[in-house]
Amino acid sequence: MNTLVNLLKSDHVIAYPTEAVFGLGCNPLSQTAVEKLLILKQRSVEKGLILVAPDINFLLPFIDTKNFTSQNWERLQRQYDHPTTWVVPVRTDVPQFLTGKFNNIAVRLCRHPAVEQLCYAAGFALTSTSANLTGLLPCKTAADVRSQFGENFPVLDMPVGNATNPSEIRDLFTNQLFRQG
């Protein structure tokens, strides 16, 4: 675990289990790390990234909460029976390499033990995009990650959670569904 946390703090990308699949993660405030992730994933910066953390306090530096109602707060922090990512207003000081072409950001409270351990040890939220090369299925095991990204790719070898599908994505204010979970 310490090695992976040190890699995160040193602008590297790692793979870690989430609720349904492995994710690729890095320090969201490191442009160098995010650029490495985008190159590795062959993902356009325009798409933006999801941020995950086990506690809302890791996500607050990215969220513009000035128009939040009590209902918004409750919806964002509720525990669901399936992973749910929320598209929320973004603070003006959040870099575009995280938001892409959007004026909001996607965040998810993830209570998977791997995410909890990594975030608390590193002291920051993680980027989260499925661990797979373009055109291949998302990785469900550490062995899958190594087969797609190489034997020496840094991966937290723990099982994924019990969710069948990756997170659904919804708008926090309108509850509009962007991606089925």
Side-chain angles (χ1 to χ4, degrees):
M1 177 66 70
N2 287 342
T3 301
L4 293 173
V5 170
N6 288 336
L7 287 170
L8 286 169
K9 290 180 175 181
S10 303
D11 300 332
H12 290 279
V13 177
I14 68 163
Y16 60 92
T18 67
E19 302 95 334
V21 298
F22 271 75
L24 293 176
C26 67
N27 178 350
L29 293 178
S30 166
Q31 184 170 358
T32 300
V34 171
E35 287 172 353
K36 287 178 184 178
L37 180 140
L38 295 173
I39 291 167
L40 180 68
K41 178 76 177 182
Q42 301 168 7
R43 181 182 173 95
S44 167
V45 69
E46 289 184 357
K47 289 185 172 185
L49 292 166
I50 294 172
L51 301 182
V52 295
D55 184 284
I56 192 68
N57 291 312
F58 288 109
L59 299 171
L60 288 177
F62 304 94
I63 303 172
D64 178 355
T65 61
K66 70 177 173 280
N67 293 321
F68 273 36
T69 64
S70 59
Q71 181 184 16
N72 299 137
W73 282 110
E74 194 276 327
R75 183 182 281 168
L76 180 62
Q77 295 181 86
R78 184 183 320 147
Q79 289 199 35
Y80 297 90
D81 60 356
H82 57 279
T84 304
T85 297
W86 294 102
V87 175
V88 299
V90 67
R91 289 174 45 135
T92 57
D93 58 346
V94 171
Q96 191 174 8
F97 61 79
L98 289 178
T99 60
K101 65 181 179 180
F102 303 102
N103 61 354
N104 47 40
I105 194 161
V107 298
R108 182 171 78 253
L109 285 175
C110 176
R111 293 180 175 91
H112 186 286
V115 173
E116 289 181 350
Q117 291 172 28
L118 289 168
C119 288
Y120 284 118
F124 48 77
L126 299 172
T127 60
S128 185
T129 183
S130 61
N132 62 291
L133 297 172
T134 301
L136 297 179
L137 291 174
C139 298
K140 292 262 192 185
T141 66
D144 291 345
V145 172
R146 291 185 184 104
S147 72
Q148 286 193 37
F149 295 99
E151 223 19 71
N152 296 318
F153 193 83
V155 57
L156 180 52
D157 195 348
M158 291 173 68
V160 297
N162 296 324
T164 307
N165 297 314
S167 72
E168 71 180 28
I169 301 176
R170 292 184 171 273
D171 183 280
L172 184 68
F173 291 147
T174 68
N175 209 28
Q176 177 186 351
L177 180 67
F178 296 118
R179 180 178 81 185
Q180 186 70 47

